[in-house]
């Protein structure tokens, strides 16, 4: 398949089935052969792998996933695209198309049914309107997932791998760092899609960690502290936490904990590393 043939396939399918890509579902179809190949390489998928694809669209990525893996489960929310996918990809005996919302999909059940409970790999050109909830959902699920190879907006990719002190650093950066080793593998221009999105994109590879890089008494509480610390970016961490009314995070307890960590009471959330958030959360935990 060269670029022209993916481009040609896309236009032919759009015409044949009168597909009108909808903004509501974040539909931008990937038509660049080099990027498709780059995604497959970055994902590291082999003929042994079960792949979960989120939002197959009209199947441009789906077909190359089917060719390079053992089995693909593709979850597509738009019911109008289901007959298009079923007909245009009927040659692939290793594909299951599921009409549903990925945020409501039971991935553990899928893994048990299709992979004997062994971890699957997620590969997707994500719908941009719900990128963060999808990534957070996949990282925090108890379902076994080995890696995520996902196309996201460049701005989200930057936030995913940002470091303390940067404007892009926040709760997403800390969650990604806690659950995975992340790498920006490819930058992708708007011209690689039909229709062209307004923003640039990037392919991210997230290798899910077997063990987090820091220890904390209560993971959920640490992330509640992190979210509260970034809720009001222009406020100090003390004020952010006080306003979030988290148990134990009073106007007295937070400065006292910061003092024990040798930090100023006027410090802001974006200045703390993951390790420091873990120590702070452990001191505040009742
Ligand atoms: N994979 C195709 C490609 O690369 O050309 C299409 C990618 S397009 C950016 C995102 C796809 O996700 C669309 O097909 C859209 O309908 C689908 N989608 C949007 N929200 C979804 C959701 N909550 N669950 C599953 N699929 C969703």
């Amino acid at each position: 398949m060269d670029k022209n043939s993916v481009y040609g396939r896309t236009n032919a399918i759009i015409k044949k089935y009168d597909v009108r890509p909808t903004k509501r579902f974040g539909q931008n179809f990937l038509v660049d052969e080099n990027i498709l190949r780059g995604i497959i390489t970055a994902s590291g998928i082999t003929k042994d792998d079960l792949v979960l694809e989120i939002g197959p669209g009209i199947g441009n990525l789906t077909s190359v996933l089917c060719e390079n893996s053992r089995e693909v489960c593709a979850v597509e929310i738009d019911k109008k695209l289901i007959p298009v996918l079923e007909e245009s990809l009927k040659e692939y005996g290793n594909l299951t198309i599921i009409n549903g919302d990925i945020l409501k999909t039971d991935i553990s059940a899928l893994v048990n049914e299709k992979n004997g409970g062994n971890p699957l790999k997620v590969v997707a050109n994500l719908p941009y309107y719900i990128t963060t909830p999808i990534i957070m959902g996949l990282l925090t699920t108890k379902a076994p997932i080995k890696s995520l190879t996902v196309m996201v907006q460049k701005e989200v990719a930057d936030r995913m791998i940002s470091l303390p002190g940067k404007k892009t650093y926040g709760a997403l950066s800390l969650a990604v760092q806690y659950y995975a080793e992340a790498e920006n593998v490819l930058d992708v221009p708007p011209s690689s899609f039909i229709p062209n999105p307004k923003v640039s994109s990037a392919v991210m590879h997230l290798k899910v960690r077997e063990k987090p890089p820091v220890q904390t008494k209560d993971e959920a509480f640490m992330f509640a502290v992190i979210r509260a610390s970034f809720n009001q970016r222009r406020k100090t961490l003390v004020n952010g936490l006080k306003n979030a009314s988290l148990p134990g995070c009073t106007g007295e307890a937070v400065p006292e904990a910061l003092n024990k960590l040798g930090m100023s009471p006027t410090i802001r959330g974006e200045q703390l590393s993951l390790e420091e958030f873990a120590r702070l959360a452990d001191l505040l935990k009742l």
Side-chain angles (χ1 to χ4, degrees), residues 6 10 22-31 36 39 53-62 65 74-79 81 85 98-105 123-130 134 151 192-194:
V6 185
T10 305
T22 64
K23 268 210 181 115
R24 183 161 73 96
F25 289 138
Q27 290 174 351
N28 299 95
F29 304 128
L30 185 57
V31 292
L36 285 167
I39 292 174
E53 187 191 6
I54 298 156
I58 57 167
N60 288 353
L61 177 59
T62 320
L65 289 172
V75 180
E76 173 56 60
I77 200 167
D78 187 350
K79 66 175 185 309
L81 295 178
L85 287 161
I98 300 163
N99 183 204
D101 180 344
I102 191 62
L103 297 176
K104 296 182 186 148
T105 302
V123 185
N125 170 15
L126 290 177
Y128 291 175
Y129 73 106
I130 45 164
I134 292 177
M151 176 93 73
S192 296
F193 304 86
I194 290 180

Side-chain angles (χ1 to χ4, degrees), residues 157-170 173-174 177:
D158 291 344
R159 285 201 278 128
M160 286 166 84
I161 49 173
S162 191
L163 295 169
K166 290 195 170 178
K167 251 189 9 219
T168 44
Y169 184 65
S173 333
L174 285 151
Q177 201 187 120

